[in-house]
Every structure is written in C-alpha cells, then in structure tokens.
Amino acid sequence: MLTPFAGWTMPLRYGSELAEHHAVRGAAGLFDLSHMGQLEIDGADAAALLDHALVGRLSAVQPGRARYTMICAPDGGILDDLVVYRLEPHRYLVVANAANTAAVFTALTERAAGFAAEVRDVSARWALIAVQGPRAAAILAPLTGADLGSLRYYAVDPAWLAGRPVLLARTGYTGEDGFEIYCAPEDAPGIWAAVAAAGTPHGLVPAGLACRDTLRLEAGMPLYGNELTARVSPYEAGLGRVVALDKPDFVGRAALAARREQATEVLVGLVSGGRRAPRHDYAVLDPDTGARVGTVTSGAPSPTLGRPIAMAYVAADRSATGTVLAVDVRGSRETVTVVELPFYRRTQEGR
Amino acid sequence: MIPQELKYTREHEWLAADGGEATVGITAFAADALGDVVYVELPRPGQAVAAGQPCGEVESTKSVSELYAPADGEVVAVNEAVVADPGLLNSDPYGQGWLFRLRLASAPELLDAAAYAALTGEAA
C-alpha cells in the first residue's frame, strides 16, 4: 500500500506491517528510503562551515565516519535532525529529512557566506536502500568485497555491492544493526533485487514506512515533525548531547546556552497498562486532578513489547522515571508510567 | 472481492440482515486501509445505537478509526473472539471477523455491493 509522503509516493507497507516489524527485529528488513535528501558540502572550509552552521563539532569527525547532529535556528529551535557523513577531509554528505531538505539547503547556503565551501543539493543523484536487522551483515557479505566486520557503527565507506558502486554506511533508524546503501538511482532496482534475493533465505522482507515508525519509536528515536520541531531545542528533546556548546561560535549558540538552563518541558517515554495507545497530540494529564501536564508526540501499540508506548513532552517536574500520569485517549483516561528511553534496546551491539 | 449478498455503508461497514436482526462488520477495504488491527472496542450488548453514530473503535499500529453503527437498533451480541484476536478483522473480515449483531429498529438505507464497489474503486 502506497502513501503520499513529502512529495514522494512511499510504500506504507508491503504486506503486514506487524510482520515487517518483527522481521526487522528478528531477521532483516529492506527499506526504500530514496526520499531522504542529500546535500554535499565541498571545499577547503567544509568542516569550518559545518561547525558554524550545525550544533555539533563536525570538524572532529574522522573521514569515513558519520555523526548524528542537528541544524538549529538562531533562536535554538530545531530546523532538522541530520546524519552527516565525512566522505573526505573536505567533503561531507548531509542527509536531511525529505520534507526539510529545501529548508536545510537554504540555511546552509546562507550560512556558507564567507566560507570557501560549496553547498549542493544532490538528492536526485542518490537513491537510498537500507538493510536493517540482526541478519543484515550476513545478507550483504556475499554481495560485496567490503570487510563488513571492520565497518563499525556510524562508519561509511565507498564499496562495490552487487557489482555496482555504492556508499555503504552502518547507520539506520530502527534500533537494530544494519546498513544504509547510497547508490545511483539507475542502480537501485538491481541492488534491491540482489539484496532481496540474498536476504530471503535469511528471513529478510521488504519493509515500509509504517513499521519504520514503530521500530524507531521502540528505539526511542525522535521523528522530525513529532518530537522535533522548530519550537523545541535539542535540550528539551533530551538530545543536548549533540550540542557542542564549547565550540567558539555557531548559529544558535547564545539561545541554546540559555535554553539549556530553562527547559520547562522534557521528552519522556510512557508505557500504558491499557490497550488503547496514546497518539500524537493527545493530552497528558495529572492522574489525580486532571490538570494538563504535557502532550504526546508519538504513540503506538508496541509490536515488540505487546503494549502501548508513547513519547511525550511533560512538565519537567513530572518527568522522573516511575511517575504515574494519565493520557486522554479520545475522552477516556488511560494510566501511563514514565519510563527511561529507549523502550527497546537490542541485546548485541553493532560494532 | 466484495460479497454480493451484503449491504454496505459509506463508512465501510457491512451488514448482513436476516429477519429483524443483522450481523455487522467492517469491509476488507477498511481493514486493509487500517493495517494490522491490534485492538477492537465494541458496543455493549443491550446498547442502543443510532445509524451513523460512533459505537466503537478499531485501532491498528498506525491509526485509530471509529466504528459507526450502520443502522438504528439494539446490540444483541458481540464477537468476543475478535476482541481477543483482533487480527481476525484482517484475515477474515466478512466471516470470523464479524463485530456485533443488531436488532434493527428500522429498515436502514444502505449501499448494495455494486454501489460500494463504485465508492471504493474495487471490482464488485
């Protein structure tokens, strides 16, 4: 079943989204993520530009490695969350959410003034296929000469896969070990078919957007538009670790330094003992007085845990693990408990 | 395939009338649009329902959809099996996935299979 998504027509699911979810947790799933935006930053000042434009210290990322980071507005609000690959000392690939790519490109271009670096939107040059799940490495190994064992988590390398040149990255958005394969659009169908054929005996299935959302939610990973918006800073989102406040200067630094100290709402995980799931925008309430203390950003019945889970912004004084709250689920109250994120953590860490 | 012998609503319920009672469920089209159903809330036996009014809900991992009464009447039975195993709505929406039985208070205005097929763009 297909769905419109950020100007693309995307597979919501290929069959059963529950089966796809369990396949990724237990074996592997194959995702078409070609909608994601790619921006290339090239030039002698590429590292300095990204240190200025983004909240992280991208100059400290070694070539061949990736970093999860964010781009913020001058007021500290999040414009997008990004994965940035340092391909070469003076060349980075910035991967943005499809709906935000144009805005990120505009902001980076503006912020590039005075830097010897060029910002190019190369989204149309890259297709993206992800193989996620505990069997991912075993599935890809016969298709590539690359040494997957030495490709560590958040590393990236040019490689040949199924006879085609790719960028092979050990990154993902599911909470499992896995790979993201950046390739030329004309090579994507052949790579997809080769991975599908190699993966089927391992239990790999094609997997859509629906299970991608429940997988990332279980893994406690934020989604732009839900947990992350221009109204919140990385601190409120519980991702202050991505902000390098000790950098000399960068866009949003002063505002972020202030917002770090005054986060009144924070992102928490909630689990419900009931059966009805809290959903996006539902009110979080004090269970005794019914007073509103927060808002759900994402929620779903967790396929892995077998009960509803949610992420929500709640008042800082209600955010301690174990705090009992309520969610207004379409007019009736469901009791929920604040838990530590993530809801799910894979047992064997990827390298 | 849309069963020819059933009647349908624009809210994607089906209704099988026999005498003054009717069995109610949701269509395969609706079940497929929802995705894997993980929770079903049904009206209570004895509850009076009014045509077009919400009387329950169906929840999948991705979304929640209200269940609308297809006709005026009183609920006389509910399918506890589908409450225990909501996946029946996906696997057998016109059979084991039935939702409740209604004693009809009036003759409902419903779509026939051809009209419902036209609504959903499916083959009747």
Side-chain angles (χ1 to χ4, degrees):
Chain A
M1 172 169 290
L2 297 168
T3 188
F5 185 85
W8 294 73
T9 299
M10 296 283 295
L12 186 60
R13 52 194 154 85
Y14 292 85
S16 152
E17 71 267 22
L18 279 177
E20 292 167 21
H21 182 111
H22 292 307
V24 173
R25 290 276 179 257
L30 182 58
F31 296 85
D32 178 355
L33 306 176
S34 299
H35 64 296
M36 298 292 286
Q38 287 86 21
L39 307 173
E40 194 172 280
I41 317 299
D42 199 353
D45 288 347
L49 163 60
L50 292 179
D51 277 357
H52 165 69
L54 309 182
V55 299
R57 192 189 295 278
L58 281 302
S59 60
V61 177
Q62 295 300 308
R65 302 287 297 179
R67 174 75 53 89
Y68 176 75
T69 186
M70 293 184 185
I71 182 167
C72 286
D75 71 357
I78 300 168
L79 296 178
D80 201 9
D81 63 336
L82 308 165
V83 173
V84 177
Y85 300 94
R86 191 170 197 176
L87 302 179
E88 297 166 25
H90 300 301
R91 193 161 72 93
Y92 290 80
L93 190 67
V94 174
V95 179
N97 285 296
N100 292 334
T101 304
V104 174
F105 175 70
T106 300
L108 285 178
T109 303
E110 287 170 6
R111 295 174 189 188
F115 289 91
E118 199 181 338
V119 180
R120 284 187 297 270
D121 185 343
V122 293
S123 301
R125 285 180 18 207
W126 291 109
L128 175 55
I129 293 169
V131 186
Q132 298 282 305
R135 303 297 297 161
I139 290 164
L140 291 188
L143 298 176
T144 180
D147 178 6
L148 298 181
S150 66
L151 188 69
R152 292 174 294 160
Y153 189 55
Y154 265 68
V156 60
D157 258 332
W160 286 80
L161 188 92
R164 295 161 179 90
V166 302
L167 283 177
L168 189 57
R170 201 160 199 155
T171 47
Y173 190 53
T174 60
E176 296 301 330
D177 184 23
F179 298 85
E180 293 183 307
I181 303 162
Y182 295 85
C183 63
E186 59 270 25
D187 287 338
I191 290 172
W192 177 278
V195 176
T200 301
H202 292 271
L204 172 137
V205 299
L209 277 190
C211 79
R212 185 168 159 85
D213 193 44
T214 47
L215 289 160
R216 69 93 194 164
L217 175 60
E218 287 182 347
M221 294 172 164
L223 173 64
Y224 198 88
N226 288 34
E227 287 72 37
L228 310 180
T229 72
R231 293 188 307 279
V232 304
S233 76
Y235 294 106
E236 286 136 2
L239 292 163
R241 61 182 166 78
V242 307
V243 182
L245 269 187
D246 55 339
K247 283 194 299 184
D249 195 23
F250 60 95
V251 178
R253 185 182 185 281
L256 285 166
R259 290 177 79 158
R260 179 189 195 179
E261 308 302 329
Q262 49 189 238
T264 54
E265 289 206 321
V266 293
L267 190 68
V268 298
L270 303 174
V271 297
S272 170
R275 293 187 63 179
R276 303 159 85 223
R279 301 279 179 175
H280 180 67
D281 264 352
Y282 287 8
V284 182
L285 309 173
D286 180 301
D288 299 321
T289 67
R292 184 159 186 165
V293 298
T295 304
V296 173
T297 52
S298 297
S302 162
T304 305
L305 277 63
R307 54 187 188 154
I309 58 173
M311 289 196 273
Y313 280 102
V314 301
D317 63 355
R318 304 303 184 100
S319 64
T321 298
T323 304
V324 175
L325 299 169
V327 175
D328 181 342
V329 178
R330 300 181 295 285
S332 63
R333 288 189 198 171
E334 296 282 351
T335 300
V336 296
T337 305
V338 176
V339 298
E340 269 183 51
L341 292 170
F343 302 101
Y344 165 86
R345 198 188 296 271
R346 68 176 180 267
T347 47
Q348 197 180 345
E349 289 294 320
R351 284 159 298 179
Chain B
M1 289 297 290
I2 297 174
Q4 294 296 308
E5 67 280 15
L6 303 178
K7 299 293 187 186
Y8 299 90
T9 71
R10 294 185 173 278
E11 285 78 35
H12 306 288
E13 279 93 27
W14 58 261
L15 184 147
D18 51 273
E21 292 193 359
T23 303
V24 177
I26 66 169
T27 65
F29 178 87
D32 194 48
L34 277 166
D36 292 316
V37 176
V38 294
Y39 175 64
V40 180
E41 185 169 276
L42 297 177
R44 299 179 312 279
Q47 184 176 336
V49 298
Q53 296 301 306
C55 65
E57 56 185 36
V58 180
E59 182 159 16
S60 69
T61 53
K62 277 305 282 179
S63 64
V64 185
S65 183
E66 284 192 300
L67 192 61
Y68 296 91
D72 296 337
E74 181 190 336
V75 176
V76 293
V78 299
N79 183 3
E80 295 296 344
V82 82
V83 173
D85 180 10
L88 292 173
L89 270 179
N90 297 105
S91 60
D92 192 8
Y94 299 112
Q96 294 180 72
W98 69 277
L99 295 177
F100 57 89
R101 277 183 67 78
L102 205 54
R103 182 175 299 127
L104 298 172
S106 58
E109 286 182 30
L110 298 166
L111 307 175
D112 63 16
Y116 183 68
L119 181 74
T120 59
E122 288 175 286

